[in-house]
Amino acid sequence: MEFTYNGKTYPCQIRRKQMKYIRIHVREDGSVYVSAPLHVPVSVIQQFLEENAAAVANRVEAVSAQKAAQHCFADGAVQYFLGKKIRLHYTDRPCHTTLEQDVLTLFARTEEEAQHAFRQWMISHCVELYRKVGREVYEHFTQAGYRVPLARIEVKDMTTRWGSCTASSGRISMNFRLMQYPVECVYAVFYHEYTHFMEQNHSKAFYRILYQMFPAYDKWDAVLKQKG
Ligand SMILES: [Zn+2]
């Protein structure tokens, strides 16, 4: 049996049981099965499925997405570093995480350990890069005649923002996850945050300065918005 929701077809298995009501289950692997009383006609089961199609389909999608996210850090999985694809390679011999060509060797036995090692490796790299890009952007603003402080940079783990600027204390916080994107994205966020030293809000004046300083802003901002 199957049901369709939003143009997508979901297969499901039926299991007959000594029971009173029809029940739908979404398993951990995203498959659907329906348990139904022994004598309920198939048409009734089908109708029940169709009535609950939205809820079941959403559940299947959620479970599948969760599963996919978990496998991002499996041995052999693909990750991104500065916009380039790299492949994870587990080793059970204690070592520093190293990137050679496009293979990232990490000391890990489970996906959880690999995720942790990957994250530490990204953080250790971003400190140096962010300092360099931050200084470059600062010098560019200064040369253009803007009065901005040389920002103190903090690396943060943020889930909803790429960066933030605290103008009063001359501080810029940067998300370490930016390290997965092309370096131009890092520049885009720095130009954005540096512009906040002059304009707190995303006003017309804000964008006038931002586009003057970094004309390709929209292009790289779109890359960041794409993946979310
Ligand atoms: Zn902003």
Side-chain angles (χ1 to χ4, degrees):
M1 186 175 280
E2 59 188 37
F3 71 97
T4 306
Y5 180 71
N6 255 350
K8 195 171 163 184
T9 304
Y10 297 85
C12 36
Q13 293 173 300
I14 301 177
R15 200 180 285 171
R16 297 284 186 172
K17 280 185 181 168
Q18 284 282 6
M19 57 195 298
K20 260 189 170 170
Y21 306 104
I22 304 172
R23 288 185 66 179
I24 306 171
H25 311 263
V26 176
R27 291 200 189 96
E28 266 178 39
D29 63 358
S31 63
V32 182
Y33 91 94
V34 184
S35 43
L38 299 173
H39 304 294
V40 169
V42 169
S43 62
V44 174
I45 300 173
Q46 184 74 47
Q47 195 191 343
F48 185 77
L49 259 173
E50 272 155 26
E51 281 166 7
N52 292 282
V56 178
N58 287 338
R59 180 83 196 122
V60 171
E61 296 305 328
V63 167
S64 306
Q66 206 178 10
K67 222 178 95 197
Q70 275 169 8
H71 289 297
C72 288
F73 293 95
D75 195 9
V78 168
Q79 277 290 342
Y80 287 85
F81 183 64
L82 293 175
K84 290 196 187 72
K85 268 188 188 172
I86 56 172
R87 200 166 281 283
L88 305 184
H89 171 65
Y90 287 16
T91 174
D92 52 11
R93 186 168 41 83
C95 65
H96 288 294
T97 305
T98 46
L99 181 66
E100 260 174 72
Q101 310 267 8
D102 56 350
V103 177
L104 186 73
T105 303
L106 0 100
F107 172 48
R109 287 149 300 187
T110 63
E111 287 178 33
E112 226 179 356
E113 285 178 0
Q115 185 171 12
H116 181 74
F118 181 71
R119 182 192 151 102
Q120 292 308 110
W121 177 75
M122 271 205 307
I123 290 173
S124 71
H125 276 73
C126 73
V127 173
E128 200 183 327
L129 181 77
Y130 290 178
R131 204 171 286 157
K132 175 180 160 283
V133 175
R135 176 164 274 280
E136 242 177 79
V137 171
Y138 160 76
E139 281 168 4
H140 188 196
F141 269 97
T142 315
Q143 280 157 17
Y146 292 107
R147 284 168 60 96
V148 290
L150 175 60
R152 220 173 62 236
I153 297 158
E154 276 179 7
V155 174
K156 279 198 179 166
D157 181 1
M158 298 180 271
T159 49
T160 57
R161 330 168 62 169
W162 293 115
S164 69
C165 173
T166 316
S168 56
S169 57
R171 197 177 64 226
I172 287 176
S173 300
M174 296 289 289
N175 195 327
F176 78 87
R177 290 194 175 84
L178 270 172
M179 291 299 281
Q180 293 176 285
Y181 294 85
V183 71
E184 289 87 346
C185 292
V186 177
Y187 277 91
V189 175
F190 263 110
Y191 274 105
H192 181 116
E193 300 310 333
Y194 255 98
T195 305
H196 275 310
F197 281 130
M198 277 132 337
E199 297 289 335
Q200 306 269 311
N201 302 313
H202 298 142
S203 58
K204 268 191 184 157
F206 173 90
Y207 282 106
R208 195 163 31 76
I209 299 171
L210 180 54
Y211 291 141
Q212 179 212 336
M213 297 304 294
F214 192 61
Y217 180 76
D218 284 347
K219 178 183 169 185
W220 298 107
D221 183 51
V223 172
L224 288 174
K225 280 184 177 135
Q226 244 173 45
K227 300 191 187 171

